CSV table of all heavy atoms in Angstrom, one decimal:
chain,number,residue,atom,x,y,z
A,3,SER,N,-21.1,-10.5,-12.5
A,3,SER,CA,-20.0,-10.3,-11.5
A,3,SER,C,-18.7,-9.9,-12.2
A,3,SER,O,-18.0,-9.0,-11.7
A,3,SER,CB,-19.8,-11.6,-10.8
A,3,SER,OG,-19.0,-11.4,-9.7
A,4,LEU,N,-18.4,-10.5,-13.4
A,4,LEU,CA,-17.2,-10.1,-14.0
A,4,LEU,C,-17.2,-8.6,-14.5
A,4,LEU,O,-16.2,-7.9,-14.3
A,4,LEU,CB,-17.0,-11.0,-15.3
A,4,LEU,CG,-15.7,-10.7,-16.1
A,4,LEU,CD1,-14.5,-11.1,-15.2
A,4,LEU,CD2,-15.7,-11.5,-17.4
A,7,TRP,N,-16.5,-6.5,-11.4
A,7,TRP,CA,-15.1,-6.5,-11.1
A,7,TRP,C,-14.4,-5.5,-12.0
A,7,TRP,O,-13.5,-4.8,-11.6
A,7,TRP,CB,-14.5,-7.8,-11.1
A,7,TRP,CG,-14.8,-8.6,-9.9
A,7,TRP,CD1,-15.5,-9.8,-9.8
A,7,TRP,CD2,-14.5,-8.3,-8.5
A,7,TRP,NE1,-15.6,-10.3,-8.5
A,7,TRP,CE2,-15.0,-9.3,-7.7
A,7,TRP,CE3,-13.8,-7.2,-7.9
A,7,TRP,CZ2,-14.9,-9.3,-6.3
A,7,TRP,CZ3,-13.7,-7.2,-6.6
A,7,TRP,CH2,-14.2,-8.2,-5.8
A,8,LEU,N,-14.6,-5.7,-13.4
A,8,LEU,CA,-14.0,-4.8,-14.3
A,8,LEU,C,-14.2,-3.3,-14.0
A,8,LEU,O,-13.3,-2.5,-14.1
A,8,LEU,CB,-14.4,-5.2,-15.7
A,8,LEU,CG,-13.8,-6.5,-16.3
A,8,LEU,CD1,-14.4,-6.8,-17.7
A,8,LEU,CD2,-12.3,-6.4,-16.4
A,10,ILE,N,-15.1,-2.0,-11.1
A,10,ILE,CA,-14.4,-1.6,-9.8
A,10,ILE,C,-13.0,-1.3,-10.1
A,10,ILE,O,-12.4,-0.3,-9.7
A,10,ILE,CB,-14.6,-2.7,-8.7
A,10,ILE,CG1,-16.0,-2.8,-8.3
A,10,ILE,CG2,-13.7,-2.4,-7.6
A,10,ILE,CD1,-16.4,-4.0,-7.5
A,11,ILE,N,-12.3,-2.2,-10.9
A,11,ILE,CA,-10.9,-2.0,-11.2
A,11,ILE,C,-10.7,-0.8,-12.0
A,11,ILE,O,-9.8,0.0,-11.8
A,11,ILE,CB,-10.3,-3.3,-11.9
A,11,ILE,CG1,-10.2,-4.4,-10.9
A,11,ILE,CG2,-8.9,-3.0,-12.5
A,11,ILE,CD1,-9.8,-5.8,-11.4
A,14,GLU,N,-11.1,2.3,-9.8
A,14,GLU,CA,-9.9,2.5,-9.0
A,14,GLU,C,-8.7,3.0,-9.8
A,14,GLU,O,-8.0,3.9,-9.4
A,14,GLU,CB,-9.5,1.1,-8.4
A,14,GLU,CG,-10.4,0.7,-7.2
A,14,GLU,CD,-10.0,-0.7,-6.7
A,14,GLU,OE1,-9.4,-1.5,-7.4
A,14,GLU,OE2,-10.4,-1.0,-5.6
A,17,ALA,N,-9.2,6.6,-10.5
A,17,ALA,CA,-8.9,7.4,-9.3
A,17,ALA,C,-7.4,7.6,-9.0
A,17,ALA,O,-6.9,8.7,-8.8
A,17,ALA,CB,-9.6,6.8,-8.0
A,18,ILE,N,-6.7,6.5,-9.2
A,18,ILE,CA,-5.2,6.5,-9.0
A,18,ILE,C,-4.5,7.4,-10.0
A,18,ILE,O,-3.7,8.3,-9.7
A,18,ILE,CB,-4.6,5.1,-9.1
A,18,ILE,CG1,-5.0,4.3,-7.8
A,18,ILE,CG2,-3.1,5.1,-9.3
A,18,ILE,CD1,-4.6,2.8,-7.9
A,21,CYS,N,-5.2,11.0,-9.3
A,21,CYS,CA,-4.3,11.5,-8.2
A,21,CYS,C,-2.9,11.8,-8.7
A,21,CYS,O,-2.3,12.8,-8.3
A,21,CYS,CB,-4.3,10.5,-7.0
A,21,CYS,SG,-5.8,10.4,-6.1
A,22,VAL,N,-2.4,10.8,-9.5
A,22,VAL,CA,-1.0,11.0,-9.9
A,22,VAL,C,-0.9,12.2,-10.9
A,22,VAL,O,0.1,13.0,-10.8
A,22,VAL,CB,-0.5,9.7,-10.7
A,22,VAL,CG1,0.9,9.9,-11.3
A,22,VAL,CG2,-0.4,8.5,-9.7
A,24,ARG,N,-2.7,14.9,-10.7
A,24,ARG,CA,-2.8,16.1,-9.9
A,24,ARG,C,-1.5,16.4,-9.2
A,24,ARG,O,-1.1,17.5,-9.0
A,24,ARG,CB,-3.9,15.9,-8.9
A,24,ARG,CG,-4.3,17.0,-8.1
A,24,ARG,CD,-5.3,17.9,-8.8
A,24,ARG,NE,-5.7,19.1,-8.0
A,24,ARG,CZ,-4.9,20.1,-7.8
A,24,ARG,NH1,-3.8,20.2,-8.4
A,24,ARG,NH2,-5.4,21.1,-7.0
A,25,LEU,N,-0.8,15.3,-8.8
A,25,LEU,CA,0.4,15.5,-7.9
A,25,LEU,C,1.7,15.7,-8.8
A,25,LEU,O,2.5,16.5,-8.3
A,25,LEU,CB,0.6,14.2,-7.1
A,25,LEU,CG,-0.3,14.1,-5.9
A,25,LEU,CD1,-0.1,12.7,-5.3
A,25,LEU,CD2,0.0,15.1,-4.8
A,26,SER,N,1.8,15.1,-9.9
A,26,SER,CA,3.1,15.2,-10.7
A,26,SER,C,3.1,16.6,-11.4
A,26,SER,O,2.1,17.2,-11.7
A,26,SER,CB,3.2,14.1,-11.7
A,26,SER,OG,2.2,14.2,-12.6
A,27,GLN,N,4.4,17.0,-11.5
A,27,GLN,CA,4.6,18.4,-12.0
A,27,GLN,C,5.3,18.3,-13.4
A,27,GLN,O,5.4,19.3,-14.0
A,27,GLN,CB,5.3,19.2,-11.0
A,27,GLN,CG,4.4,19.7,-9.9
A,27,GLN,CD,5.1,20.3,-8.7
A,27,GLN,OE1,6.2,19.8,-8.3
A,27,GLN,NE2,4.6,21.3,-8.1
A,77,ASN,N,-21.6,-17.1,-16.8
A,77,ASN,CA,-21.7,-18.2,-15.9
A,77,ASN,C,-22.4,-19.4,-16.5
A,77,ASN,O,-22.1,-20.5,-16.2
A,77,ASN,CB,-22.3,-17.8,-14.6
A,77,ASN,CG,-21.4,-16.8,-13.8
A,77,ASN,OD1,-20.2,-16.9,-14.0
A,77,ASN,ND2,-22.0,-16.0,-13.0
Z,6,TYR,N,-12.2,-16.1,-11.9
Z,6,TYR,CA,-12.0,-14.7,-12.2
Z,6,TYR,C,-12.3,-13.9,-10.9
Z,6,TYR,O,-11.8,-12.8,-10.8
Z,6,TYR,CB,-12.9,-14.3,-13.4
Z,6,TYR,CG,-14.4,-14.3,-13.2
Z,6,TYR,CD1,-15.0,-13.2,-12.5
Z,6,TYR,CD2,-15.1,-15.3,-13.7
Z,6,TYR,CE1,-16.3,-13.2,-12.3
Z,6,TYR,CE2,-16.5,-15.3,-13.4
Z,6,TYR,CZ,-17.1,-14.3,-12.8
Z,6,TYR,OH,-18.5,-14.2,-12.6
Z,7,GLU,N,-13.2,-14.4,-10.0
Z,7,GLU,CA,-13.5,-13.7,-8.8
Z,7,GLU,C,-12.3,-13.5,-7.9
Z,7,GLU,O,-12.1,-12.5,-7.3
Z,7,GLU,CB,-14.7,-14.4,-8.1
Z,7,GLU,CG,-15.3,-13.5,-7.0
Z,7,GLU,CD,-16.4,-14.2,-6.3
Z,7,GLU,OE1,-16.6,-15.4,-6.5
Z,7,GLU,OE2,-17.0,-13.5,-5.4
Z,10,PHE,N,-9.7,-11.1,-10.1
Z,10,PHE,CA,-10.1,-9.7,-10.2
Z,10,PHE,C,-10.3,-9.1,-8.7
Z,10,PHE,O,-10.0,-7.9,-8.5
Z,10,PHE,CB,-11.3,-9.5,-11.0
Z,10,PHE,CG,-11.1,-9.7,-12.5
Z,10,PHE,CD1,-11.6,-10.7,-13.2
Z,10,PHE,CD2,-10.3,-8.8,-13.2
Z,10,PHE,CE1,-11.4,-10.9,-14.5
Z,10,PHE,CE2,-10.0,-9.0,-14.5
Z,10,PHE,CZ,-10.6,-10.1,-15.2
Z,11,GLY,N,-10.8,-10.0,-7.8
Z,11,GLY,CA,-11.0,-9.5,-6.4
Z,11,GLY,C,-9.6,-9.1,-5.8
Z,11,GLY,O,-9.5,-8.1,-5.2
Z,13,LEU,N,-6.8,-8.3,-7.4
Z,13,LEU,CA,-6.3,-7.2,-8.1
Z,13,LEU,C,-7.0,-5.9,-7.6
Z,13,LEU,O,-6.3,-4.9,-7.3
Z,13,LEU,CB,-6.4,-7.3,-9.6
Z,13,LEU,CG,-5.4,-8.3,-10.2
Z,13,LEU,CD1,-5.7,-8.4,-11.7
Z,13,LEU,CD2,-4.0,-7.7,-10.1
Z,14,ALA,N,-8.3,-5.9,-7.5
Z,14,ALA,CA,-9.1,-4.8,-7.0
Z,14,ALA,C,-8.7,-4.4,-5.6
Z,14,ALA,O,-8.5,-3.2,-5.3
Z,14,ALA,CB,-10.6,-5.0,-7.1
Z,17,LEU,N,-5.3,-2.7,-5.7
Z,17,LEU,CA,-5.4,-1.3,-6.2
Z,17,LEU,C,-6.0,-0.4,-5.1
Z,17,LEU,O,-5.5,0.7,-4.9
Z,17,LEU,CB,-6.3,-1.3,-7.4
Z,17,LEU,CG,-5.6,-1.7,-8.7
Z,17,LEU,CD1,-6.7,-1.8,-9.8
Z,17,LEU,CD2,-4.6,-0.7,-9.2
Z,18,LEU,N,-6.9,-1.0,-4.3
Z,18,LEU,CA,-7.5,-0.2,-3.2
Z,18,LEU,C,-6.5,0.2,-2.2
Z,18,LEU,O,-6.4,1.3,-1.7
Z,18,LEU,CB,-8.7,-1.0,-2.6
Z,18,LEU,CG,-9.6,-0.2,-1.7
Z,18,LEU,CD1,-10.4,0.9,-2.6
Z,18,LEU,CD2,-10.7,-1.1,-1.1
Z,21,LEU,N,-4.4,2.9,-3.5
Z,21,LEU,CA,-5.1,4.1,-3.4
Z,21,LEU,C,-5.1,4.8,-2.0
Z,21,LEU,O,-5.0,6.0,-1.9
Z,21,LEU,CB,-6.6,3.9,-3.8
Z,21,LEU,CG,-7.4,5.0,-4.3
Z,21,LEU,CD1,-6.8,5.7,-5.5
Z,21,LEU,CD2,-8.8,4.5,-4.8
Z,24,PHE,N,-2.5,7.5,-0.7
Z,24,PHE,CA,-2.7,8.9,-0.9
Z,24,PHE,C,-3.3,9.6,0.3
Z,24,PHE,O,-3.6,10.8,0.2
Z,24,PHE,CB,-3.6,9.2,-2.2
Z,24,PHE,CG,-3.0,8.9,-3.5
Z,24,PHE,CD1,-3.4,7.9,-4.3
Z,24,PHE,CD2,-1.9,9.7,-3.9
Z,24,PHE,CE1,-2.9,7.6,-5.5
Z,24,PHE,CE2,-1.3,9.4,-5.2
Z,24,PHE,CZ,-1.8,8.4,-5.9
Z,27,TRP,N,-2.2,13.0,1.6
Z,27,TRP,CA,-2.4,14.1,0.7
Z,27,TRP,C,-2.6,15.5,1.4
Z,27,TRP,O,-2.1,16.5,0.9
Z,27,TRP,CB,-3.7,13.9,-0.2
Z,27,TRP,CG,-3.9,14.8,-1.3
Z,27,TRP,CD1,-4.1,16.1,-1.2
Z,27,TRP,CD2,-3.9,14.5,-2.7
Z,27,TRP,NE1,-4.3,16.7,-2.5
Z,27,TRP,CE2,-4.1,15.7,-3.4
Z,27,TRP,CE3,-3.7,13.3,-3.4
Z,27,TRP,CZ2,-4.2,15.7,-4.8
Z,27,TRP,CZ3,-3.8,13.4,-4.8
Z,27,TRP,CH2,-4.1,14.5,-5.5
Z,30,ILE,N,-0.1,18.6,1.6
Z,30,ILE,CA,0.2,19.4,0.5
Z,30,ILE,C,-0.4,20.8,0.7
Z,30,ILE,O,0.3,21.8,0.4
Z,30,ILE,CB,-0.3,18.8,-0.9
Z,30,ILE,CG1,0.5,17.6,-1.2
Z,30,ILE,CG2,-0.3,19.8,-2.0
Z,30,ILE,CD1,-0.1,16.7,-2.3
Z,143,PHE,N,-11.8,-10.2,1.5
Z,143,PHE,CA,-12.3,-8.9,1.7
Z,143,PHE,C,-12.0,-8.4,3.2
Z,143,PHE,O,-11.6,-7.3,3.4
Z,143,PHE,CB,-13.8,-8.9,1.6
Z,143,PHE,CG,-14.3,-9.0,0.2
Z,143,PHE,CD1,-15.1,-10.1,-0.2
Z,143,PHE,CD2,-13.9,-8.1,-0.8
Z,143,PHE,CE1,-15.5,-10.2,-1.5
Z,143,PHE,CE2,-14.2,-8.2,-2.1
Z,143,PHE,CZ,-15.0,-9.3,-2.5
Z,172,ARG,N,4.5,17.3,-2.3
Z,172,ARG,CA,3.9,16.6,-3.4
Z,172,ARG,C,4.8,15.3,-3.7
Z,172,ARG,O,4.2,14.2,-4.0
Z,172,ARG,CB,4.0,17.5,-4.7
Z,172,ARG,CG,2.8,18.3,-4.8
Z,172,ARG,CD,3.0,19.3,-6.0
Z,172,ARG,NE,1.9,20.3,-6.0
Z,172,ARG,CZ,0.7,20.1,-6.6
Z,172,ARG,NH1,0.5,19.0,-7.2
Z,172,ARG,NH2,-0.2,21.0,-6.5
Z,175,VAL,N,4.2,12.4,-1.2
Z,175,VAL,CA,2.9,11.7,-1.4
Z,175,VAL,C,3.1,10.8,-2.6
Z,175,VAL,O,2.7,9.6,-2.6
Z,175,VAL,CB,1.7,12.6,-1.5
Z,175,VAL,CG1,0.4,11.8,-1.8
Z,175,VAL,CG2,1.6,13.5,-0.3
Z,176,LEU,N,3.7,11.3,-3.7
Z,176,LEU,CA,3.8,10.6,-4.9
Z,176,LEU,C,4.8,9.4,-4.8
Z,176,LEU,O,4.4,8.3,-5.2
Z,176,LEU,CB,4.3,11.5,-6.0
Z,176,LEU,CG,4.0,11.2,-7.5
Z,176,LEU,CD1,2.5,11.1,-7.6
Z,176,LEU,CD2,4.5,12.3,-8.4
Z,179,PHE,N,3.2,6.7,-2.9
Z,179,PHE,CA,2.3,5.9,-3.7
Z,179,PHE,C,3.1,4.9,-4.6
Z,179,PHE,O,2.7,3.8,-4.7
Z,179,PHE,CB,1.5,6.8,-4.6
Z,179,PHE,CG,0.9,6.2,-5.8
Z,179,PHE,CD1,-0.2,5.3,-5.6
Z,179,PHE,CD2,1.3,6.3,-7.1
Z,179,PHE,CE1,-0.8,4.6,-6.6
Z,179,PHE,CE2,0.8,5.7,-8.1
Z,179,PHE,CZ,-0.3,4.8,-7.9
Side-chain angles (χ1 to χ4, degrees):
Chain A
S3 191
L4 182 66
W7 281 121
L8 285 177
I10 290 168
I11 289 174
E14 284 174 341
I18 285 173
C21 289
V22 174
R24 186 83 179 80
L25 284 171
S26 65
Q27 287 168 318
N77 295 332
Chain Z
Y6 69 80
E7 194 178 7
F10 289 113
L13 284 174
L17 282 171
L18 195 64
L21 200 55
F24 286 114
W27 190 297
I30 292 169
F143 291 122
R172 272 173 191 272
V175 180
L176 206 55
F179 161 72

